[in-house]
């Protein structure tokens, strides 16, 4: 599976060399990153001693590092704080959670800190009681556009986040006070 995903990602990369339109180029990069996030789940699964569970803490660190490099983000300008305890997920939760993190971190990197603005992004993931998981991605950037409604948004990334949260029986909460906070609470 990982090799097939790598081939698809490579094809998108090769195709990107002939693209002149920045919007289309950005769409291809976003697609490559989505594929990478799924491939990374499979990589972690194969590295695991237990093929039923993935070390999600390590996954989050690797995915974040990959995205910062992919978008050429200077980590002295945008600081990343990851607060995740020992967390193991099965593949049915790991892939949707990985894609959610990919989308929300990508959105923050691309849109929250424009014009060289400094800022912070935080990823928290923890277990509450024994039956609930809470994933929170927050930034102190410029915030979501006024009037943006996630239920009616045409953004593919936000549609994915909303649908992936439903897929894992999660509830999605958004706060817009200082920057943006996305919180997803779902059963473990």
């Amino acid at each position: 599976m990982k090799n097939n995903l790598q081939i698809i990602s490579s094809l998108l990369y090769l195709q990107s060399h002939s693209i002149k339109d920045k919007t289309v180029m950005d769409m291809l990069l976003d697609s490559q990153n989505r594929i990478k996030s799924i491939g990374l789940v499979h990589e972690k699964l194969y590295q695991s001693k237990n093929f039923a569970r993935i070390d999600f803490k390590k996954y989050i660190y690797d995915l974040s590092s990959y995205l910062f490099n992919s978008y050429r983000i200077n980590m002295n300008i945008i600081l990343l704080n990851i607060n995740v305890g020992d967390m193991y997920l099965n593949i049915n939760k790991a892939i949707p959670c990985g894609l959610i993190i990919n989308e929300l971190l990508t959105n923050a990197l691309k849109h929250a800190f424009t014009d060289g603005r400094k800022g912070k992004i935080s990823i928290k993931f923890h277990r509450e009681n024994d039956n609930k998981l809470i994933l929170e991605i927050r930034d102190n950037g410029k915030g979501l556009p006024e009037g943006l409604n996630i239920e009616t948004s045409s953004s593919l990334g936000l549609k994915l986040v909303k649908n992936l949260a439903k897929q894992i029986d999660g509830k999605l909460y958004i706060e817009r006070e200082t920057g943006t906070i996305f919180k997803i609470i779902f059963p473990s």
Side-chain angles (χ1 to χ4, degrees), residues 25-43:
M25 184 68 157
D26 287 347
M27 291 168 68
L28 280 176
L29 180 59
D30 290 347
S31 295
Q32 277 183 282
N33 290 338
R34 289 177 184 121
I35 292 166
K36 176 66 175 179
S37 75
I38 295 170
L40 194 56
V41 166
H42 289 284
E43 181 180 317

Side-chain angles (χ1 to χ4, degrees), residues 42-188:
H42 289 284
E43 181 180 317
K44 296 297 171 205
L45 186 64
Y46 297 134
Q47 291 172 354
S48 170
K49 292 176 184 168
N50 178 347
F51 291 117
R53 299 177 340 143
I54 295 162
D55 180 348
F56 213 69
K57 179 178 185 175
K58 175 82 170 109
Y59 172 86
I60 290 172
Y61 276 96
D62 290 349
L63 178 62
S64 300
S65 177
Y66 171 79
L67 290 173
F68 268 73
N69 287 330
S70 178
Y71 289 104
R72 295 178 175 91
I73 302 298
N74 181 338
M75 293 188 84
N76 293 318
I77 294 175
I78 300 176
L79 302 175
L80 177 63
N81 179 26
I82 298 175
N83 183 355
V84 179
D86 290 333
M87 183 74 61
Y88 293 88
L89 297 180
N90 68 39
I91 195 164
N92 294 327
K93 295 237 193 265
I95 289 176
C97 286
L99 285 168
I100 288 169
I101 292 168
N102 179 77
E103 293 305 318
L104 296 176
L105 185 53
T106 294
N107 281 348
L109 293 173
K110 287 170 57 176
H111 305 295
F113 308 105
T114 55
D115 302 325
R117 180 179 176 170
K118 289 186 173 192
K120 294 179 186 174
I121 299 172
S122 170
I123 300 173
K124 293 181 182 179
F125 196 25
H126 65 278
R127 187 175 307 279
E128 188 173 278
N129 302 323
D130 279 335
N131 59 354
K132 194 185 307 182
L133 297 171
I134 301 173
L135 173 62
E136 179 182 291
I137 299 175
R138 114 183 5 225
D139 67 68
N140 66 348
K142 65 181 182 179
L144 293 172
E146 238 357 92
L148 178 77
N149 181 341
I150 193 165
E151 296 299 322
T152 59
S153 172
S154 62
S155 163
L156 176 60
L158 291 177
K159 284 180 184 178
L160 272 173
V161 168
K162 183 177 80 165
N163 289 327
L164 290 165
K166 284 181 186 174
Q167 182 179 327
I168 57 175
D169 296 321
K171 293 191 187 222
L172 174 63
Y173 302 94
I174 302 171
E175 296 176 27
R176 305 173 187 224
E177 290 180 24
T178 52
T180 306
I181 303 170
F182 285 88
K183 186 184 288 189
I184 299 162
I185 302 172
F186 58 100
S188 58

